[in-house]
């Protein structure tokens, strides 16, 4: 009799053979070059992760960029900045485009390089030589000059914060031609050369005068320009009154330490700012940043502020879809998910892990879909009791506290098959580095991943079922082969929820996520850069 392990019959359609291995060594399906590039750029912060160093990620992005055409490279740069809210990776794609099509770079430059931090990133990457050149070249130089001349005074002042390179370095490098006497004086001021004080922008004059006499309230300049000085309670109160949203979120403990919340009306003012929907949207806040602020707020921060952060979280998660039918959320709680979501960076590693983001995403989906089943998994499914009426923060904390083990993406699907649960939508939140099931079940059964085998059984009972695999780490493979009923997407901005909503409603174009990126409009009118 023939070997039963080799010739076991499989019900349903023929399963695709796994054609690759993931970083953990498990069998997997390789993405196309376009999909892999989008995945790396939408999730990669160019820092070390559990499975890959920063250098390995950089090399992979450059390799994948070489396999796609210039227009897709440009559209991915726009998408990763505008929708995925990334910083380093879209600047890297622009630097690569500078070597390939400078006319196309000119069309996308202002859409990707939209603030001073992004400008300095772009210049740093080009000058590093990693993309094939060590000088900007005439066309990119003109783009940087145009950016500087279009930027508002506030945008330039904000851009002056930071080093390697500093804004002064950039100005000295490209020699922008000032459009008037005020901008000429401002450039001189920024690079440390003699200037006419009376010709500086008003806010800069106020700052220079205030540094000398310290009379009245501090001027409305970037707070980093003030915090480098010795400040009293009055100065901190002024800073807190005028602080932008992101600065407020990041300095709640500092405000508490300097007595800001003890001043009548300030707690309410700052709470209202934190939960202001317009400001949250404008700041391009990641939901996990609110989670970080909430978890890091110490006992001296008033409860009203902490409640405002929870309200802000609900606003930041407004794009989480309500999905009809039976929804299952599979949350990866394995050991590799405990690495920082933005990677390891000496001196500035985030305390928020991939698991925190996965738990937050899962809890948010449960909040909008209270009848959903949440199946945390590592080697196998892990039991957890979640109340959909609890806050997103509470349920996320429960998920993040679960014990960890290896990664077995097929485990929750096997659980669903074992219990014969009806399914309409399955949502995975994982790093997709499944390896337990590869070793547990071997390489038989047609060479498909165990995830696809279990999915095939689910489809036997639930022919209209769909599956979304959200990957929150840089990756070039998946456990589930892309098809009409399987969506693979990377990232952790609210754009992920918009895409899931479109997939659930069957309004997503046939190419799914990559089709969405391809629909990105490249050309945009030049506009003044505001802070």
């Amino acid at each position: 009799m023939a070997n039963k392990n080799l010739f076991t019959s499989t019900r349903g359609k023929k399963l695709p053979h796994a054609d690759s291995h993931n970083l953990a060594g498990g069998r997997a399906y390789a993405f196309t070059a376009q999909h892999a590039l989008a995945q790396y750029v939408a999730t990669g912060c160019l820092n070390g992760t559990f499975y890959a160093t920063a250098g390995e990620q950089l090399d992979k992005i450059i390799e994948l960029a070489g396999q796609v055409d210039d227009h897709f490279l440009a559209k991915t740069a726009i998408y990763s900045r505008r929708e995925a809210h990334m910083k380093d990776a879209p600047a890297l794609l622009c630097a690569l485009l500078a070597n390939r099509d400078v006319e196309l770079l000119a069309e996308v430059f202002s859409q990707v390089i939209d603030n001073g931090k992004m400008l300095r990133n772009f210049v740093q990457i080009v000058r590093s030589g990693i993309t094939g050149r060590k000088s900007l070249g005439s066309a990119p130089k003109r783009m940087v000059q145009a950016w500087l001349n279009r930027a508002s005074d506030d945008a330039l002042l904000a851009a002056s914060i930071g080093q390697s390179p500093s804004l002064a370095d950039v100005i000295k490098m490209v020699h922008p031609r000032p459009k008037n006497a005020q901008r000429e004086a401002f450039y001189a001021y920024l690079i440390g050369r003699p200037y006419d004080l009376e010709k500086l922008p008003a806010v800069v004059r106020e700052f220079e005068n205030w540094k000398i006499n310290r009379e009245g309230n501090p001027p409305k300049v970037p707070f980093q320009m003030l915090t480098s000085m010795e400040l009293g309670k009055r100065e901190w109160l002024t800073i807190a009154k005028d602080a932008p949203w992101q600065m407020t979120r990041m300095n709640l403990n500092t405000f508490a330490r300097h007595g800001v919340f003890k001043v009548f009306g300030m707690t309410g003012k700052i709470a209202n700012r934190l939960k202001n929907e317009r400001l949250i949207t404008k700041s391009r806040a990641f939901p996990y940043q609110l989670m970080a602020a909430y978890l890091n707020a110490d006992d001296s921060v008033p409860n009203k502020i902490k409640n405002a952060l929870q309200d802000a979280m609900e606003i930041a998660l407004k794009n989480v879809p309500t999905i009809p039918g039976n929804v299952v959320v599979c949350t990866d709680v394995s050991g590799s998910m405990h690495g920082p979501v933005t990677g390891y960076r000496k001196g500035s590693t985030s305390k928020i892990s991939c698991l925190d983001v996965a738990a937050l995403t899962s809890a948010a989906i449960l909040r909008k879909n209270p009848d959903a089943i949440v199946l945390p998994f590592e080697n196998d499914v892990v039991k957890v009791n979640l109340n959909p009426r609890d806050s997103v923060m509470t349920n996320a904390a429960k998920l993040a506290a679960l014990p960890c083990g290896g990664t077995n993406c097929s485990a929750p699907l096997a659980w669903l098959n074992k219990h014969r649960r009806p399914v309409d939508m399955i949502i995975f939140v994982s790093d997709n580095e499944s390896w337990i099931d590869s070793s547990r079940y071997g390489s038989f059964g047609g060479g498909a991943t165990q995830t696809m085998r279990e999915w095939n059984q689910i489809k036997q009972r639930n022919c209209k079922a769909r599956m979304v695999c959200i990957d929150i780490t840089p990756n070039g493979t998946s456990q589930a082969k892309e098809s009409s009923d399987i969506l693979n997407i990377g990232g952790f901005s609210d754009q992920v929820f918009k895409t899931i909503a479109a997939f659930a409603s069957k309004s997503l174009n046939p190419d799914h996520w990559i089709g969405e990126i391809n629909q990105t409009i490249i050309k945009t009118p030049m506009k003044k850069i505001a802070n």
Side-chain angles (χ1 to χ4, degrees), residues 263-279:
V263 177
F264 179 78
M266 283 303 297
T267 297
K269 182 180 181 68
I270 292 176
N272 289 335
R273 181 187 304 155
L274 287 170
K275 59 185 179 180
N276 183 297
E277 182 171 358
R278 180 183 63 81
L279 296 179

Side-chain angles (χ1 to χ4, degrees), residues 57-87:
Q57 288 183 53
L58 175 62
D59 291 344
K60 190 64 178 179
I61 291 175
I62 293 174
E63 175 193 336
L64 291 167
Q67 298 173 29
V68 303
D69 63 66
D70 294 347
H71 276 80
F72 185 80
L73 190 68
K75 290 178 177 181
T76 305
I78 295 171
Y79 180 92
S80 62
R81 177 60 184 154
R82 190 170 63 195
E83 306 295 351
H85 308 333
M86 303 304 281
K87 299 174 184 176

Side-chain angles (χ1 to χ4, degrees), residues 113 133 142 151 158 180 211 267 273 294 309-310 317 329 331 339 353 367 370 378 385 433 438 458 497 508 531:
I113 311 302
R133 64 194 304 170
R142 286 195 298 272
N180 53 44
K211 284 197 301 183
T267 297
R273 181 187 304 155
Y294 181 84
L309 288 170
Q310 296 206 60
L317 294 170
V329 185
T331 312
S353 68
R367 184 64 178 269
E378 26 106 320
N385 292 316
E433 299 292 347
S438 287
I458 287 174
F497 297 125
L508 201 63
N531 186 21

